[in-house]
Amino acid sequence: MRKEDTVKLISAEGFEFIIDRKAALVSNTLKNMLTSSGSFTETELGEVRFPEISTPILEKVCQYFYWSLQFASGKETEFHIEPEITLELMMAANYLHT
Amino acid sequence: MGGACSRKRHQQDNDGDEGQGSTLKRGITLQWKAKYGKVHNHGAGIGEHPSLLQLSIKDICQSIHIYDSMAILPRDLSQQILNELIAHRLLSQSTFRLFSDCSLQDIILESYPGMEDSWMEVVGTQQESLLELDISDSSVTDGGLQCLELCQNLQSLRLDYCDQISDVGLRFLTTGFLNLTSLSFCNSLSITAIGMRHLTGLINLKSLNLERCPKIHGGLIHVRDLTKLESLNIGWCNCIKNSDLRPLSGLTNLRDLQISRSKVNDSGIASLKDLEKLQSLSMEGCPVSSACMDTISGLTSLTSLNIRSCCISDAGCRKLGGLLKLRALNMGYSSITDAGMICLEGLTNLENLNLDSCKIADEGIKHLRGLTNLQHLDLSDTEVGNDALNFLSGLKKLVSLNLSFTSVSDSGLQKLSTLTSLKLLNLDSRHVTDSGLVTLTNLTELTHLDLFGARISDFGTTSLRHLKKLQTLELCSGGITDEGIKNLKYLTNLTSLNVSQNCHLTDKSLHYISGMTKLVSLNIANSGISNAGLQHLRPLKNLTSLALQSCKVSLAAVEELQSTSPNLCVVHLDQ
């Protein structure tokens, strides 16, 4: 996979998630950061830091990105969320406009 | 994360709507709140997938009992969770406690089961954040209102139908509350002039709704200085007399005044003469005479006037002629005759005209010829006949027309064929038969057609096949058989169908109806359907109401149907 087809999302603890660019674009916030013609450093590096999102939450967010791509292509499954993380996940979803 | 919310808010969407008298806005909307499990698509549109935010909110609502508090969330998120819990009736006293100190802006608990004083403590913890509160139809008492002490930023407060709130409760609104612009306590049975004394401090009030308060006589004196008031509703307060209107004479910003069914007569109406900004006045059923029209004719800003059931004669009606801005006029059950109808000729801005049960005939309708902006016309129960329809055929903007219980018959109906914008047509009359319907087949925009008492047989239903946009249909002549229903099966947009009183209908009819999957309401009472026929209704997943009186149907069979039709909650049976 070519580097420009992927993006790197970095959690509060510094854990790096490398995911498909098209998966990341599910988030409107990321879409704005990654496709902006302005001078966001994120646009150039393909790398976004989330100092307020913990690793397990960011992992769940990434899972959602891929789930939503599958859903859009016709594979309609349930997306399971563990109750312990729902509040935090909701805040992340709100921030990511997802 | 989360971000701060602006303290400003959008204009209340219940403002405005000018041009429609208050009575036109009234009405009851029945809602069936869906429970989770029956809602598909997680609230997202068809073909769209739910957002992670929607999924999270749904999951939180379903397992709300595992949380200790929502206060860690940004307030816009806790607000969304609360709204969702309320919408799905999942909120209880204990789960509402999770929202203490959440800085919520809106708490809308109208008619919410279980809402009482202990909930008000949670409401009070929102303090200055709270902008809108609706606890209508609850058992909250005067004591509960005390909890609002620290909610001084409230903009809108609704306490309709709260039987336990009295003059004592209004006391808590005296100090502060300078942001309150909208206050409503409809149907408050024990509020009197003594309690209304506390309203004097609400100097920014724009809207006050006291509809159906039976004991407020003498209280409006305390409203006298609330000069920002734009909307006042004292309709159906039968304690209101002329003296109550006198304090209103200085409220020159009033735009909307509702005094229907009060005891105000001509001299009371005279107190309104300086209300130059008044746009909407409803005085339905007030004991006035034509003399009050001298005052009303001076209110030239009026766009909506309701004088239904007032004894206004032709002489009084003539004074309407100068109200050139009128867009809605309700003169139903008034004393106007053909001779008085000439006053309407110049009111070319009229969009909505109601002449229900007036003594008018074809000669009077002639004066409506030039009212080309008319969209809604009600001629029900008048002496109007076929000749009148000649004068209506040029009213191309007509959207709804009521000709029920008139003398209009088949030979006149063809003149309606030019009115291709018509969406609602009421022909509930024994003079209408199959041959009249044939001439209406090009009215393809029709969504609502009432042929309740029209003498329609199976042959007539073939004409209805062309009206593919029909959403509601009433067809209760008694002459329809299964063959007639077969012709209706193409009307798949129907949401409401009434084919009761047709005793020849059998289970076969239900088979034809089974394809109308949008049906919400079906009335097939007084027919020959039986238990076996009910199986055909299983595909009707949207069906909520079913009328089966005088049918050979058992309770057990209905219950079996309900077990597979999740939304079916209103079933009418005999016994």
Side-chain angles (χ1 to χ4, degrees), chain A residues 33-34 39-49:
Chain A
M33 285 175 167
L34 295 169
S39 54
F40 280 114
T41 47
E42 289 88 349
T43 317
E44 288 160 29
L45 298 172
E47 192 178 294
V48 188
R49 285 180 181 276

Side-chain angles (χ1 to χ4, degrees), chain A residues 26 52-53 60-61 64 67-68 71-72 76 78-81 83-84 86-87 89-95 98, chain B residues 1-2 42 48-53 55-57 59-60 63 66-67 69-70 72-74 76-77 80-81:
Chain A
V26 167
E52 291 183 64
I53 302 182
K60 198 74 192 172
V61 168
Y64 173 81
W67 175 85
S68 112
F71 198 101
E76 300 191 10
E78 286 284 316
F79 184 73
H80 179 70
I81 303 172
E84 315 82 75
T86 323
L87 287 187
L89 187 63
M90 181 189 187
M91 289 190 264
N94 188 47
Y95 173 69
T98 303
Chain B
M1 269 187 272
H42 312 271
E48 286 172 42
H49 56 274
S51 70
L52 187 55
L53 186 63
L55 286 173
S56 308
I57 292 173
D59 275 37
I60 291 166
S63 43
I66 68 166
Y67 300 101
S69 169
M70 291 291 144
I72 59 155
L73 290 174
D76 55 329
L77 296 186
Q80 286 187 54
I81 294 172

Side-chain angles (χ1 to χ4, degrees), chain B residues 433-470:
Chain B
T433 74
D434 293 344
S435 52
L437 281 195
V438 175
T439 61
L440 298 179
T441 48
N442 66 328
L443 298 182
T444 51
E445 291 301 309
L446 279 181
T447 55
H448 297 73
L449 180 59
D450 190 339
L451 294 165
F452 184 88
R455 285 182 290 156
I456 307 299
S457 72
D458 291 343
F459 175 72
T461 60
T462 53
S463 309
L464 298 176
R465 288 170 55 168
H466 303 277
L467 309 177
K468 293 254 191 304
K469 291 187 180 169
L470 276 185

Side-chain angles (χ1 to χ4, degrees), chain B residues 288-307:
Chain B
V288 293
S289 75
S290 296
C292 78
M293 297 307 286
D294 287 331
T295 308
I296 288 172
S297 62
L299 301 173
T300 51
S301 296
L302 281 178
T303 57
S304 171
L305 177 63
N306 182 353
I307 48 174

Side-chain angles (χ1 to χ4, degrees), chain B residues 362 384-391 407-413 415:
Chain B
D362 299 350
V384 162
N386 291 335
D387 287 342
L389 302 188
N390 288 323
F391 306 121
S407 309
V408 170
S409 65
D410 291 339
S411 57
L413 288 183
K415 292 166 198 158

